């Protein structure tokens, strides 16, 4: 039987979790996380590359029920790395305010 790993892939010390075309960046126990939603992708040789990526800085506060109120910032970038890098900056800045 396969052994379950308790470690996540990380970027700048924060965990990255992927579910389909959505990537969550950050620790869910922190007040904010970044959600990267891949809108479009394209084929390049034998791999699929992310093209348009929607970035959202989301509050993890359980008191906020309305999903629209949970979104603090949002933007759209071309490429997963560019989107992840912007999301990392947003997350770092918001967590420093705490």
């Amino acid at each position: 039987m396969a052994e379950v790993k308790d470690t996540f892939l990380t970027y700048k010390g924060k965990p990255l979790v992927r579910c389909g075309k959505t990537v969550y960046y950050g620790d869910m126990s922190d007040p904010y996380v970044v959600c990267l939603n891949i809108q479009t992708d394209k084929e390049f040789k034998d791999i699929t590359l992310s093209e348009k990526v929607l970035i959202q800085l989301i509050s993890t506060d359980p008191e906020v029920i309305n999903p629209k109120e949970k979104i603090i910032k949002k933007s759209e970038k071309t490429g997963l790395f560019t989107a992840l890098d912007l999301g990392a900056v947003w997350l770092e800045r918001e967590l420093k305010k705490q």
Side-chain angles (χ1 to χ4, degrees):
M1 195 153 127
E3 200 173 305
V4 177
K5 294 183 180 181
D6 288 338
T7 59
F8 293 102
L9 179 65
T10 61
Y11 177 71
K12 296 187 178 181
K14 300 260 185 240
L16 280 166
V17 179
R18 179 179 176 211
C19 180
K21 290 192 172 204
T22 304
V23 178
Y24 289 96
Y25 172 66
D27 192 342
M28 287 297 192
S29 64
D30 286 341
Y32 302 98
V33 294
V34 173
C35 177
L36 305 165
N37 195 334
I38 300 166
Q39 302 291 309
T40 62
D41 45 23
K42 64 179 177 181
E43 296 295 322
F44 178 75
K45 295 187 180 181
D46 60 344
I47 60 173
T48 303
L49 299 175
S50 302
E51 204 165 36
K52 278 198 214 170
V53 181
L54 176 66
I55 314 152
Q56 296 176 329
L57 179 66
I58 299 173
S59 171
T60 58
D61 185 2
E63 301 288 319
V64 180
I65 296 172
N66 187 351
K68 287 186 178 185
E69 291 177 11
K70 285 186 173 258
I71 299 171
I72 309 303
K73 288 183 180 183
K74 70 179 183 178
S75 182
E76 192 173 282
K77 292 291 179 193
T78 302
L80 186 60
F81 178 74
T82 306
L84 181 59
D85 205 34
L86 178 60
V89 170
W90 284 355
L91 184 61
E92 187 179 319
R93 287 181 183 170
E94 278 306 309
L95 292 177
K96 280 185 181 179
K97 290 180 184 179
Q98 299 300 312

